[in-house]
Amino acid sequence: RVPLPARLASVAAAGSGRTELGVLLDHLSDHSHGLPTQRLPDGGLVAVLPEAGPVPPDGVRRVRDVDRVLRSRVTSVHGGSRSEVTGAAFVTYDPPVVPELEVRDPRGRLVPTGPVEPVVDPDLEEWAARGHEDRAGCGFRAALPDGSAVDETPGAWTVTVRVAGHEAVHRVEPGAARSPAADVLVTGVQVDGDDVVLCLEGPSAARVAGARLAGGKATVASTRTAPPSGPWPAEVRLGLRHDLFGEPALLPAGRYDLELHASGGSAGGLLEAATAPGAGPRETLTDRLRVALAPAGAGDRPRLLVGAPLDAATRSVRGQRRLLDATYAPARRRSREGRTVLVESFRGRSAGDNPGAVARALLARDRDGGLGLDVAVVVDDPSVTVPAGARAVVRRSPGWYDAMGGAAAYVSNAGAPYWFEKAEGQLHVQTWHGTPLKRIGEDRGPGDFDTWRHRRHLAAQAAGWDVMVSSGPFVSGVYRGAFGFTGPVLEVGYPRNDVLLDAGAGERRTAVRGRLGLGPDRRVVLYAPTWRDHLGVRDAKPLFLDAERLVAALPEAVVLLRGHYNSTRQDDVFVGHPRIRDVTRYPEIADLFLAADALVTDYSSVMFDFALTDRPQVLLVPDLERYRDAERGFYLDLDRHHPGPLATTTDEVVDVLAGPDRHATARAAFRRDFCALEDGTAADRVADHVLRRL
């Protein structure tokens, strides 16, 4: 009665050493969507385990009845010209079998069905979520007899699905394929250049004169309509680009509500709209994004999903595992004669930070010297814009797996995926992402971020790093201890900070403030807190600063809120506030340092970067003891080493910012101790190192 993963872990915990147990637990975590198996001579299945881990007896590894679980869904029961029941079903670890169906109408009467037919649909792989089982063919369809009165019989239908002795009962509202009663029905979506085209039907489709897509991070509106380009009666077009702090960018990943307006555009009357099935496509992909109609029940307001350009089969667990075997593994075996430099910052959520600065330096070298470089920048969101001359590589796509295995050099600022293992001859440059106040790597405590497993993998990867980039001896010493790193360290400063020391920093400050709509008379306060993971509940955008209270107390002030990079997918806050703006998705944080007149932070590494501007900063640390002593731990004593005063309330922050600057001496000492090597040439020197190795 004990499921296979728990059975394996229990036996290993009882009889294996710590290292073997760790290998097994890693394996179970990596295969939480079904373990790989092999067949025994007697026909049974046993789990395949890593060679370095424990080897329990076949009886313990065997797939048993408790592991064979029925997964099923019924997607529709509908009548009319398509009177049928549809769905999908399979039993985990078992070969595909066509299910048996029992259908009853809302009155409990048995409704006979035609033969149950298998349906092959690669999109089912995402729903099935099995890593080592092909479930594209687990769909089914069965016709209902003509005149079964699906449309006329109110109430939920009961569909019982039976597979290999397993049974599941589903209650389904009929008519999921019927068009709901609404002014306009959105039946499909497609992309045409920089436009998204919505296919419309319904009694008021011809009256649509404007539309609006509203999401938590962006909103676009349009009054552009055109004759339909397909079989649908009408269509509406909206631009896929929005204003990202003064620059055009594709819509960020997320869910967008759709509003349709009659004549008068967004000022006209709001039409009642609903998502409905129809002839139009439900999903469309380009090289940079995916746009899909969100699944909805009859009558739901239309919503669009925007994300990375991966189809359902590729997004699935099995699809990703196939790419590991079929694309990444062969790429690792290729020679390193290519000139591809793969650059990854914050797992593709940004094209900036240290790797982005190195990429721009390499591109400048390539433009000046014709070096034939292929600078590929990893992106995990459509709105991430790569530097001119670079190409975007979508994370989790076939091209990404190929580049991870085949690139001549890989420049990153964090841990790579757990499966990554540097290929022979491949250069791996680790820039990290800031001067560490908080403990990192092996120095982290056992209570956050699943650190036991994470630290094991990070330590294994660190053994393959060819060089690390450091801002000085303090950081280099942390690297040596936290990662056990024994290779060369480039003590050149952080590439992302070069712009702060550039001769054109003043002009850049003016330009950035212009992009943000900030006049020269505004006092800009940048609030950039780090994330929290107290008690396992993570908040990547904690708001200990009462920004509304601050701007009320300082009439000339504007607050720019910058969340941790882990919060880039969270919705913006303070939307529409005239003096508080969420700038979490601004591409380059160094630009925000230039634009700001003062910084409020806590335990973030931005305190070291901003110190280079010699402008005031305040550390708002109401949870100092908890964060220092229980959650994370520090390398420095903040009472002794700080670039500005420590505060515990917004009122204390206001008092500091409203008063005279009394902390210039502390800032100078802080720069001397931790920023002495920053001279504005770090990116160039890291680029030179990469080119020498290439």
Side-chain angles (χ1 to χ4, degrees):
R1 294 191 295 272
V2 179
L4 181 58
R7 193 187 322 145
L8 291 168
S10 301
V11 171
S16 300
R18 183 184 289 258
T19 300
E20 288 180 317
L21 175 61
V23 170
L24 176 67
L25 294 180
D26 280 348
H27 183 74
L28 296 179
S29 294
D30 288 339
H31 297 88
S32 58
H33 298 282
L35 292 165
T37 60
Q38 65 184 20
R39 194 163 296 280
L40 295 174
D42 64 6
L45 293 178
V46 293
V48 177
L49 302 179
E51 294 180 1
V55 185
D58 288 352
V60 175
R61 295 190 294 134
R62 183 181 287 267
V63 174
R64 299 183 180 276
D65 288 342
V66 68
D67 305 305
R68 295 182 170 92
V69 178
L70 173 62
R71 290 279 313 284
S72 65
R73 68 176 183 178
V74 177
T75 49
S76 65
V77 175
H78 49 261
S81 61
R82 296 168 54 201
S83 186
E84 63 182 7
V85 55
T86 60
F90 68 92
V91 173
T92 57
Y93 292 107
D94 276 8
V97 175
V98 177
E100 299 176 359
L101 301 181
E102 180 184 289
V103 180
R104 294 185 180 273
D105 69 13
R107 300 176 184 176
R109 296 175 301 189
L110 184 65
V111 177
T113 67
V116 182
E117 303 173 0
V119 174
V120 177
D121 180 0
D123 289 359
L124 289 172
E125 295 278 29
E126 185 177 29
W127 164 76
R130 300 297 289 175
H132 302 277
E133 302 166 24
D134 183 354
R135 297 302 177 185
C138 71
F140 64 78
R141 176 190 299 115
L144 298 174
D146 293 336
S148 59
V150 174
D151 297 325
E152 290 77 21
T153 308
W157 286 54
T158 301
V159 180
T160 302
V161 180
R162 299 187 179 97
V163 181
H166 300 265
E167 179 177 291
V169 179
H170 300 267
R171 300 275 290 173
V172 185
E173 291 292 334
R178 292 180 307 177
S179 296
D183 295 330
V184 182
L185 306 177
V186 182
T187 61
V189 60
Q190 60 183 9
V191 173
D192 182 14
D194 280 350
D195 289 345
V196 59
V197 181
L198 302 174
C199 315
L200 307 180
E201 296 181 2
S204 297
R207 296 177 54 213
V208 175
R212 180 173 180 264
L213 283 177
K217 292 174 288 187
T219 297
V220 292
S222 173
T223 57
R224 289 177 292 166
T225 57
S229 56
W232 39 88
E235 67 183 37
V236 66
R237 291 170 174 259
L238 295 101
L240 282 170
R241 295 187 179 272
H242 76 301
D243 179 84
L244 182 64
F245 306 107
E247 298 290 337
L250 289 171
L251 288 177
R255 185 183 296 263
Y256 294 83
D257 291 324
L258 172 67
E259 296 176 356
L260 298 175
H261 300 265
S263 57
S266 59
L270 183 65
L271 296 168
E272 183 182 358
T275 303
R282 313 297 287 179
E283 174 177 291
T284 183
L285 304 175
T286 72
D287 61 333
R288 282 302 307 272
L289 53 68
R290 162 182 169 253
V291 181
L293 275 174
D300 280 2
R301 290 183 59 186
R303 289 190 175 98
L304 292 187
L305 300 177
V306 174
L310 308 174
D311 60 26
T314 303
R315 295 192 304 267
S316 70
V317 180
R318 186 166 181 268
Q320 291 293 298
R321 294 205 178 279
R322 284 201 305 267
L323 289 173
L324 267 177
D325 296 335
T327 304
Y328 174 68
R332 286 189 72 249
R333 295 191 290 268
R334 292 204 302 260
S335 68
R336 304 294 122 188
E337 296 175 357
R339 304 284 284 173
T340 296
V341 180
L342 183 67
V343 178
E344 184 169 14
S345 184
F346 298 127
R347 299 174 179 85
R349 299 177 192 176
S350 166
D353 201 71
N354 292 321
V358 174
R360 290 190 294 272
L362 288 169
L363 289 165
R365 295 282 205 285
D366 191 49
R367 285 192 296 269
D368 294 341
L371 304 179
L373 295 179
D374 170 30
V375 179
V377 179
V378 178
V379 297
D380 194 33
D381 189 289
S383 65
V384 175
T385 302
V386 304
R391 66 180 175 98
V393 177
V394 176
R395 196 170 190 270
R396 302 177 69 229
S397 70
W400 178 64
Y401 280 98
D402 182 78
M404 289 291 287
Y410 176 37
V411 182
S412 64
N413 70 346
Y418 285 168
W419 44 260
F420 175 77
E421 183 179 357
K422 189 185 73 169
E424 183 177 354
Q426 191 174 41
L427 172 67
H428 191 173
V429 178
Q430 176 58 255
T431 72
W432 208 242
H433 48 270
T435 300
L437 167 69
K438 306 183 293 286
R439 293 190 176 274
I440 58 177
E442 285 296 319
D443 296 334
R444 294 180 71 166
D448 66 339
F449 198 60
D450 192 17
T451 55
W452 187 73
R453 181 171 186 250
H454 175 67
R455 281 158 46 198
R456 286 171 55 86
H457 285 274
L458 194 58
Q461 289 182 8
W465 295 340
D466 292 285
V467 64
M468 295 194 74
V469 178
S470 164
S471 60
F474 165 72
V475 174
S476 301
V478 171
Y479 289 166
R480 300 289 190 200
F483 301 124
F485 185 70
T486 59
V489 176
L490 295 179
E491 290 187 345
V492 296
Y494 276 138
R496 69 184 186 184
N497 291 333
D498 287 352
V499 297
L500 303 179
L501 303 170
D502 187 79
E507 295 179 2
R508 190 177 182 112
R509 168 182 164 90
T510 301
V512 173
R513 288 173 72 110
R515 284 184 65 179
L516 296 171
L518 301 171
D521 58 330
R522 284 297 189 187
R523 187 181 186 191
V524 178
V525 178
L526 176 62
Y527 178 42
T530 193
W531 71 333
R532 301 299 198 279
D533 25 12
H534 290 320
L535 303 177
V537 179
R538 295 177 185 146
D539 185 355
K541 201 184 289 184
L543 302 179
F544 288 100
L545 179 72
D546 186 340
E548 292 175 306
R549 185 176 182 85
L550 187 146
V551 297
L554 302 175
E556 78 285 4
V558 170
V559 172
L560 302 180
L561 168 64
R562 174 76 170 197
H564 189 274
Y565 78 87
N566 283 327
S567 70
T568 52
R569 293 185 176 175
Q570 293 182 4
D571 288 349
D572 290 347
V573 295
F574 297 108
V575 175
H577 196 290
R579 293 170 57 200
I580 306 172
R581 191 166 183 190
D582 192 329
V583 292
T584 299
R585 293 185 300 112
Y586 191 95
E588 290 287 351
I589 192 171
D591 282 356
L592 302 177
F593 296 152
L594 289 174
D597 299 298
L599 171 71
V600 179
T601 186
D602 44 24
Y603 321 113
S604 171
S605 65
V606 300
M607 71 173 71
F608 298 90
D609 307 317
F610 193 77
L612 295 171
T613 69
D614 195 27
R615 297 180 189 136
Q617 57 178 296
V618 185
L619 306 185
L620 179 58
V621 289
D623 57 346
L624 173 60
E625 292 184 0
R626 180 176 186 175
Y627 201 95
R628 178 192 62 204
D629 301 335
E631 180 174 353
R632 191 66 179 263
F634 296 154
Y635 290 112
L636 297 175
D637 181 354
L638 277 184
D639 291 326
R640 293 181 53 208
H641 302 283
H642 52 78
L646 276 60
T648 59
T649 67
T650 296
D651 288 343
E652 292 177 9
V653 173
V654 170
D655 289 343
V656 173
L657 296 179
D661 180 9
R662 297 188 175 94
H663 305 281
T665 301
R667 292 198 301 273
F670 194 78
R671 286 196 304 276
R672 182 185 64 247
D673 292 341
F674 303 108
C675 309
L677 296 183
E678 299 275 12
D679 63 2
T681 65
D684 286 331
R685 288 195 273 177
V686 176
D688 288 341
H689 180 86
V690 172
L691 292 174
R692 282 195 299 270
R693 287 292 304 268
L694 290 184

